[in-house]
Amino acid sequence: MAERKARAAGPETSRVQGADWSGDDISGQNHEKVLFVDLDMTEVENTGAVFTECTFRNVKFNVSVHHGAAFVNCTFAACKFYDARFADCKFVGSIFDRCTFDAMTVTGGNWSFAGLSGADLRTASFRGVNLREADLAGARCQGGSMRDLDLSGAWLRGADFSGCDLRGSDLSAVDPASVELRGAIITIDQTITIAQALGLDVRAE
């Protein structure tokens, strides 16, 4: 499978720099092609806000809570997501570069085509998330939790899932020769998928 090249957000039409939104409720806001620099979004409450083709540079999302929000085709550079919570949010086509995800929790939502290459997700938790065709090449997921995910068509080369809880996730895109799975937690059905990926002829008897 050829390596997917993530697409960066287009030219910005406005800029927000050094603003303090900490503790604000930004629910329902709509932003398109905005460059956010050094923005503090600590403890922000967000239900349904939409960000389209925006760029977030050195933005703090720490301890923020997002429900049903959308960050579509956005770029996140050197952002911090400590203990941020995202429920049923959309990050389709968004790119993450040099971001930190300590204790981040993602439940449901659509992150298909997202660019998380090389991301450190060891303490992050993803559950019930659509990550179809996402770029997780080289991602560090050791000991993390990535349950019930749609990883079909995902780019996983060089990813490390050692000790990661992968139960219920679609592992059809996993190449055991290029992904580290030692100690990963999976179900019996998933072992069959892995065995088939190794070229084994799995039979009932």
Side-chain angles (χ1 to χ4, degrees):
M1 184 179 290
E3 185 175 349
R4 180 170 67 84
K5 299 297 184 182
R7 183 177 66 83
E12 297 83 11
T13 57
S14 60
R15 180 186 183 109
V16 176
Q17 183 161 1
D20 184 0
W21 290 5
S22 58
D24 289 355
D25 188 336
I26 63 169
S27 299
Q29 292 188 15
N30 197 317
H31 301 274
E32 184 173 357
K33 295 184 182 298
V34 179
L35 170 62
F36 296 97
V37 182
D38 298 326
L39 174 65
D40 189 351
M41 293 179 68
T42 301
E43 296 186 338
V44 154
E45 295 284 340
N46 170 17
T47 299
V50 178
F51 297 84
T52 306
E53 294 188 16
C54 293
T55 297
F56 298 84
R57 190 178 300 157
N58 195 32
V59 173
K60 295 178 181 177
F61 289 86
N62 300 337
V63 205
S64 57
V65 180
H66 309 261
H67 295 276
F71 298 83
V72 179
N73 290 328
C74 292
T75 298
F76 299 86
C79 294
K80 296 178 175 61
F81 292 90
Y82 172 74
D83 201 22
R85 299 177 182 273
F86 297 93
D88 299 320
C89 293
K90 181 184 292 186
F91 280 83
V92 175
S94 289
I95 302 165
F96 297 84
D97 177 32
R98 295 171 289 112
C99 297
T100 57
F101 305 96
D102 299 317
M104 182 181 77
T105 301
V106 182
T107 307
N110 189 351
W111 291 54
S112 55
F113 302 100
L116 287 156
S117 178
D120 186 346
L121 303 175
R122 289 176 293 180
T123 63
S125 173
F126 286 78
R127 184 153 193 172
V129 183
N130 178 2
L131 281 158
R132 182 185 295 268
E133 296 193 49
D135 185 356
L136 287 160
R140 291 172 288 166
C141 307
Q142 304 97 305
S145 180
M146 306 191 77
R147 298 193 59 177
D148 304 313
L149 308 184
D150 183 354
L151 291 168
S152 56
W155 274 254
L156 302 173
R157 179 174 295 276
D160 191 341
F161 294 106
S162 302
C164 183
D165 190 346
L166 293 168
R167 285 176 291 175
S169 293
D170 182 338
L171 302 182
S172 59
V174 171
D175 176 2
S178 64
V179 174
E180 180 58 63
L181 292 168
R182 186 179 301 275
I185 304 169
I186 60 176
T187 64
I188 296 297
D189 290 341
Q190 289 172 307
T191 64
I192 296 173
T193 300
I194 298 299
Q196 291 173 334
L198 285 167
L200 300 179
D201 183 0
V202 181
R203 304 185 183 187
E205 295 183 6

